[in-house]
């Protein structure tokens, strides 16, 4: 949309507030709210904020940053009042001299996306987003005492959240995000909503919008939404699977060669697998993330790929209805920062292609069988993931020094806090025994 079109919509729709949204390096959505009277200043990139107050952004001695709204992301929140409506832009962040702020996660993805485009590569992603809908107690606190007992693909009345999912889907569609499907997932209180494929940048924007909408609408229904990867010990965790397509400038699927997996597809898969351990800290960023990456819980453990529909592999080739070859990455979880995650996925793809990486043989058997495969595994803990990340020149180069250093420091603090915490498991295991 043009600036004139946005001004017209704001006036016609009685929009009184505009939220200027951006994402920090840990994937948390932030915003500044302005009134409609400040809209011109916003679209002329004149809205300033204090970057030193956002963890991982700017030091206090050089803290002024500007928000540059992406006009294509303008939309009105459907859940807000019909009078005095609220709209939003997703913004890029710039320094006072006009240069791009290097610690802006969206800027990292834009760089990766632009590099792929310059190489004649158009990458599209379908995101499959899982989350939990939980009850709240009499005090309004989130409770893990879940009343519903539905499982995979169940319907009401077993699935007690059908209407919430319906509202979420209709709201996202109204905001311009096309939804492919939605359903109850395997774990109790767990749900999945899948997007149609879209370019990599729009996919990351859509995920952030989706998270905001899910949490807002869940609260309106008296529930609480959580994107924490693993909530229940003996249940599946929440992943964020990506189905990846790639086309050249002539619209040809580079993953296909006479209806078979092309050499470029094989190099792409090799690149993704090659960097999977060092990128685990981005894809699986929490202490809790590594409780999900265990056998028999629909999450990958080994750095492996499958040429068929084997869901125990880190990357598989799903059977698509239109026979179009796509790649499905299954390791990222629901807590990942989508901008950094997708940016590093693109860089892994480009590294595989540019270096014509060779692909190891596929493993098409159930990798949860207990067999000891002689291949690498994903990190088993956040600490192991930190070590892999910290020793990676590839990650440091692509993320940039500031994000790289800030991210490591924060995750080391998180791991130390976890190590110092006394858990419920320890109390139950040892309190009366010793």
């Amino acid at each position: 949309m043009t600036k004139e079109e946005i001004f017209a919509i704001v006036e016609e729709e009685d929009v009184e507030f505009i939220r200027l949204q951006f994402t920090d390096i840990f994937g948390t959505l932030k915003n500044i709210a302005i009134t409609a009277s400040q809209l011109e200043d916003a679209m002329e990139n004149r809205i300033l904020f204090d970057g030193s107050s956002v963890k991982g952004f700017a030091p206090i001695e050089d803290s002024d940053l500007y928000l540059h709204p992406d006009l294509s992301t303008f939309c009105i929140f459907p859940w807000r009042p019909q009078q005095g409506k609220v709209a939003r832009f997703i913004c890029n962040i710039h320094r006072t001299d006009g240069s791009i702020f290097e610690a802006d996660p969206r800027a990292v993805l834009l760089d990766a996306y632009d590099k792929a485009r310059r190489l004649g590569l158009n990458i599209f992603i379908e995101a499959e987003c899982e989350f939990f809908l939980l009850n709240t107690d009499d005090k309004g606190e989130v409770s893990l005492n879940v009343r519903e007992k539905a499982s995979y693909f169940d319907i009401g009345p077993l699935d007690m959240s059908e209407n919430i999912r319906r509202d979420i889907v209709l709201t996202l569609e109204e905001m311009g995000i096309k939804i492919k499907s939605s359903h109850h997932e395997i774990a109790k209180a767990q749900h999945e909503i899948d997007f149609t494929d879209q370019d990599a940048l729009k996919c990351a924007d859509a995920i952030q919008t989706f998270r905001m909408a899910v949490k807002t609408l869940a609260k309106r229904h008296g529930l609480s939404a959580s994107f924490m990867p693993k909530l229940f010990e003996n249940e599946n965790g929440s992943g964020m699977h990506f189905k990846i397509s790639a086309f050249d400038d002539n619209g040809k699927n580079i993953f296909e060669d006479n209806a078979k997996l092309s050499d470029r597809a094989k190099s792409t898969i090799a690149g993704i697998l090659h960097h999977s351990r060092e990128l685990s800290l981005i894809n699986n960023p929490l202490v809790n993330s590594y409780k999900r990456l265990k056998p028999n819980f629909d999450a990958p453990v080994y750095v492996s790929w499958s040429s068929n529909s084997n869901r125990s592999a880190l990357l598989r080739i799903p059977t698509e209805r239109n026979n179009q070859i796509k790649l499905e990455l299954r390791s990222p979880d629901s807590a990942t920062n989508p901008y950094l995650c997708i940016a590093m996925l693109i860089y892994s793809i480009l590294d595989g292609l540019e270096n014509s990486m060779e692909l190891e043989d596929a493993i098409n058997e159930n990798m949860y069988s207990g067999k000891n495969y002689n291949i690498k595994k994903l990190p088993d803990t956040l600490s192991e993931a930190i070590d892999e990340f910290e020793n990676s020149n590839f990650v440091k180069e692509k993320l940039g020094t500031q994000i790289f250093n800030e991210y490591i420091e924060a995750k080391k603090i998180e791991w130390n806090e976890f190590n110092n915490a006394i858990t419920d498991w320890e109390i139950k295991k040892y309190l009366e025994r010793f």
Side-chain angles (χ1 to χ4, degrees), residues 93 104 116 123 156 167 185 243 249 253 289 301 314 321 330 332 353 406:
I93 303 173
D104 175 10
I123 296 175
D167 285 355
E185 254 297 338
K243 286 184 178 177
D249 285 337
N253 184 346
S289 296
V301 177
L314 187 151
R321 285 190 293 270
R330 297 179 61 80
L353 290 171
E406 293 284 351

Side-chain angles (χ1 to χ4, degrees), residues 125-127 207 240-244 327-329 332 341-342:
I125 296 175
E126 293 177 27
I207 290 169
M240 187 177 291
H241 304 155
F242 293 133
K243 286 184 178 177
I244 308 154
L327 315 179
E328 181 179 296
L329 179 64
C341 180
I342 295 174

Side-chain angles (χ1 to χ4, degrees), residues 402-417:
Q402 183 171 344
I403 291 181
F404 183 81
N405 291 336
E406 293 284 351
Y407 206 88
I408 287 175
E409 181 183 2
K411 292 304 166 181
K412 285 182 176 179
I413 291 171
E414 183 177 343
W415 179 249
N416 287 334
E417 287 175 350

